[in-house]
Amino acid sequence: MNSLRDVVTLSVLFMSLYFEIFMLITYFEHRKKIRGISKSESSHHSSLPTVTVIVPCFNEENTVGRTLESIFALDYPREKLHIVAVNDGSKDGTMAVLESFKRFANFRVIDKENGGKHTALNLAISQCGTEFVGCLDADSYAKPDSLLRLIQRFDKPDIMAVVPSLHVYSPRTTIQKIQKVEYLIGAFMRSILAELNAMYVTPGPFSIFRREVFDKVGLYKKAHNTEDMEMAMRMQSKGLKIASAHDAVVFTSSPYNIRKLYRQRVRWTSGFLHNVRDYRYMLFNMNYGNIGMFVLPFMILSSFSIIFVIATIGYDLVNMLHAWYTRYQALGLSMFEFTWPSFNWFFMRTTPIMFCGLAAIAAVLIFIVIGSRMSSGNRAKVIEIVSYVCLYSFIAPWWVARSMYNVVFSRQLSWR
Amino acid sequence: MNINWRKYAVSFIFTAAIVITALLISSWIDSRRVDELRNIQDSISINLLSADMQFNLLKDAACGDLFNSAIGEELGNLSDKLSYMESIGKGGDPSVVTLKKYYSLLEIRDYLLSNSAASKCPKRPITILYFYRSDCPDCDRQGQVLTYLRQHHADILRVYSFDHGLDVSAVRTLANIYKVASPFPAVVIKGKTLNGFHSIEDIQKLLPELMATTTAATSTKK
């Protein structure tokens, strides 16, 4: 422990471990309640409230048909379900696809000029008269029982919104398989954040709100192209409760290559950081409970620590290349001679940083296992978990760093 | 909104317990490493003493035992492990510094023994004295070249490496005998002191005997 770098690394690991342990303790504290959610009795269809599901579309001709089919297949009384698709000035064949569903009585299409997702949602919300309203992104697909489970979670009058359990739709590439594991961790995290009253996002794919929420806090804002995060933070700032229904499964299309993933994540992370900046008065403010005192400050702190991680990886990489170069200068091509690898405990890395790192990875594995159990039928394969553990920490820092740059230099991003 | 401070405190205690355990395990393993180094040194010390006595008792009949490669291998093994300790930042640890000094003395003892037997034993190993400093830019490269040669000619080559900055009077005396001075690295081959980096080919030219024999590389790390 003789260098500043080791001290900083150990501090970052301490912080991560603290967060993980806090999450696990919260899980075990509320385990019975969280597990009990999926066992709740199904409501009588006659007592179910009316719901409007809004599908905002911008150039979604390839996916919106399937999204709408998933909504029409929902196990929910037809007369209580209103579906509104908003064509936000698409330039492809989206409108034609929407027209083909007009045969359904409870389906309506609004065609408007392009103005952004928040304008599409606001137009539909302002026209809806149902008790509940939700949005399903046009690249996401709801499981038939999802809406029923989401509505069942509004079992207390103070619950104002419920978020579903999101999963990657049909993961094929390695990048999608990594995201599959990431989403399982997300499913676990959202259950815990809900228990802590610290949910900072009501995801576009199928978060359901009481209609009165929009009267109380206002409609969606552009919010740095992450209107779903801003809405959650605005609700939290007004003390409105957001719950989670981990048994309400919704699948969403995910980026299939690293470039698309990077773009998506830069948008999300930049949006998150911009929104936290807008709601900075919540930070370290006891009036806002766990989200103000713990969750948001931790997320900000971990973003800063990412810069340190990148610097460390870069430093190690330069050192490694330099060592190889020195070896090449000394031995020439002889350095490539094959020697049998031998195991000797003496040469194993056994620093405190390594042990703490292993503990942090172990906690992530526990998150994955619990997340998998919560989302029955979406369990991660060992190879997917290994890919996630090996690759994610090397790719995620880059979009966080880029997002921090965007926020510092106030760069706004477009959706696509 | 209410905050459960007790949970924050309990989480802190759990986290601190994990980090403290990690620190304790790591420090325990480090002490095991130092013990291991000590054991190897004791073994070398006993083997050297035994070889020395055998040589004195039996004179030239003990040549075979004196130059068996076991001592050379153990010295190489110890050298690898001491370099590893330096590479993980434990080079300044007092117990490691003491072990390094002791190692230097064992090397000198082995070197003297092989010199004293030189006239009586027809076949004796080739020796290279290597002086380095921790602040010398080319020493890392030179170390790699000598490790490579030692691994490929384990039966006939012994490389004795000395940290010139180490506070051991015997090392200083040895350096003075061969007029070893800056710039480093410096190698002493067949009584001649050469300064600066020398490649595998340079050393092979100076020691053509090496070209005749090659043994399989051992997999010791450097």
Side-chain angles (χ1 to χ4, degrees), chain A residues 357-369:
Chain A
L358 286 177
I361 292 174
V364 170
L365 292 178
I366 296 172
F367 286 11
I368 296 170
V369 169

Side-chain angles (χ1 to χ4, degrees), chain A residues 169-186:
Chain A
Y169 174 70
S170 185
R172 288 197 180 88
T173 65
T174 305
I175 289 293
Q176 286 174 319
K177 285 173 182 168
I178 288 173
Q179 290 174 80
K180 175 183 167 182
V181 179
E182 185 196 12
Y183 276 56
L184 288 175
I185 296 172

Side-chain angles (χ1 to χ4, degrees), chain A residues 2 14 18 21-22 26 29 286 290 293-294 326-327 329-331 337 340 342 346-350 352, chain B residues 3 5 7-8 11-12 15 18-19 22-23 25-26 29 33 81 84 88-89 141 144-145 148 152 219:
Chain A
N2 46 11
F14 187 95
Y18 182 77
I21 287 170
F22 189 88
T26 310
E29 188 186 6
M286 294 236 287
N290 293 313
M293 289 301 291
F294 180 54
T326 309
R327 203 168 154 73
Q329 275 187 319
L331 305 179
E337 266 178 30
W340 285 102
S342 69
F346 193 97
F347 298 108
M348 270 173 67
R349 281 267 165 194
T350 53
Chain B
I3 295 175
W5 291 113
K7 188 159 67 184
Y8 281 89
S11 305
F12 185 86
T15 313
I18 290 176
V19 174
L23 286 164
I25 293 176
S26 177
I29 294 176
R33 281 205 179 90
K81 287 179 173 169
Y84 177 74
I88 59 169
R141 276 201 298 160
Q144 306 232 21
V145 164
Y148 177 88
H152 283 73
S219 53

Side-chain angles (χ1 to χ4, degrees), chain B:
Chain B
M1 289 190 209
N2 59 334
I3 295 175
N4 183 351
W5 291 113
R6 200 168 145 260
K7 188 159 67 184
Y8 281 89
V10 171
S11 305
F12 185 86
I13 292 167
F14 271 109
T15 313
I18 290 176
V19 174
I20 290 168
T21 310
L23 286 164
L24 290 175
I25 293 176
S26 177
S27 125
W28 178 74
I29 294 176
D30 281 346
S31 70
R32 287 285 313 273
R33 281 205 179 90
V34 172
D35 288 347
E36 161 98 358
L37 291 178
R38 235 174 244 134
N39 288 341
I40 299 171
Q41 287 192 339
D42 286 349
S43 158
I44 294 172
S45 183
I46 290 166
N47 283 342
L48 268 177
L49 201 61
S50 161
D52 193 4
M53 284 176 179
Q54 264 180 299
F55 183 73
N56 284 327
L57 286 169
L58 304 170
K59 302 300 171 194
D60 53 332
C63 284
D65 286 334
L66 184 60
F67 300 127
N68 73 36
S69 56
I71 295 173
E73 269 173 31
E74 279 183 323
L75 279 170
N77 182 15
L78 188 58
S79 159
D80 289 343
K81 287 179 173 169
L82 281 169
S83 327
Y84 177 74
M85 294 300 271
E86 282 176 342
S87 77
I88 59 169
K90 302 279 176 197
D93 196 304
S95 52
V96 176
V97 172
T98 311
L99 286 169
K100 230 169 111 178
K101 287 180 180 172
Y102 191 37
Y103 164 69
S104 302
L105 294 175
L106 287 175
E107 284 186 307
I108 296 174
R109 194 191 172 116
D110 188 53
Y111 175 68
L112 291 177
L113 186 58
S114 61
N115 270 2
S116 68
S119 54
K120 289 164 189 160
C121 300
K123 194 179 168 226
R124 67 186 193 107
I126 307 159
T127 57
I128 297 177
L129 301 182
Y130 167 48
F131 292 88
Y132 66 93
R133 289 188 72 96
S134 54
D135 52 1
C136 124
D138 277 337
C139 290
D140 192 18
R141 276 201 298 160
Q142 192 63 65
Q144 306 232 21
V145 164
L146 293 173
T147 303
Y148 177 88
L149 288 170
R150 173 168 62 75
Q151 288 174 344
H152 283 73
H153 306 283
D155 54 345
I156 59 155
L157 177 66
R158 285 206 188 161
V159 179
Y160 301 103
S161 57
F162 302 98
D163 182 347
H164 193 260
L166 206 63
D167 184 24
V168 179
S169 51
V171 173
R172 270 202 303 275
T173 309
L174 188 68
N176 287 338
I177 290 170
Y178 290 103
K179 296 187 173 56
V180 173
S182 156
F184 288 93
V187 285
V188 180
I189 297 174
K190 291 183 175 170
K192 262 178 75 181
T193 306
L194 307 160
N195 290 90
F197 173 73
H198 288 82
S199 67
I200 296 175
E201 292 75 25
D202 294 340
I203 293 174
Q204 280 173 336
K205 265 182 213 156
L206 291 164
L207 294 167
E209 306 92 298
L210 291 180
M211 304 291 272
T213 57
T214 302
T215 51
T218 59
S219 53
T220 43
K221 291 182 187 180
K222 175 78 188 176

Side-chain angles (χ1 to χ4, degrees), chain A residues 107-167:
Chain A
F107 178 65
R108 198 159 65 88
V109 178
I110 303 175
D111 193 16
K112 68 182 271 296
E113 277 192 16
N114 181 256
K117 186 181 168 189
H118 66 293
T119 61
L121 287 170
N122 289 343
L123 184 61
I125 291 168
S126 58
Q127 294 181 8
C128 93
T130 51
E131 295 157 81
F132 289 84
V133 61
C135 157
L136 183 61
D137 287 346
D139 61 351
S140 305
Y141 320 108
K143 261 181 100 170
D145 61 349
S146 55
L147 182 58
L148 202 57
R149 294 190 181 280
L150 283 160
I151 291 294
Q152 280 169 349
R153 279 295 284 131
F154 286 94
D155 52 354
K156 289 189 187 119
D158 62 336
I159 295 178
M160 286 296 163
V162 177
V163 301
S165 175
L166 288 181
H167 297 277

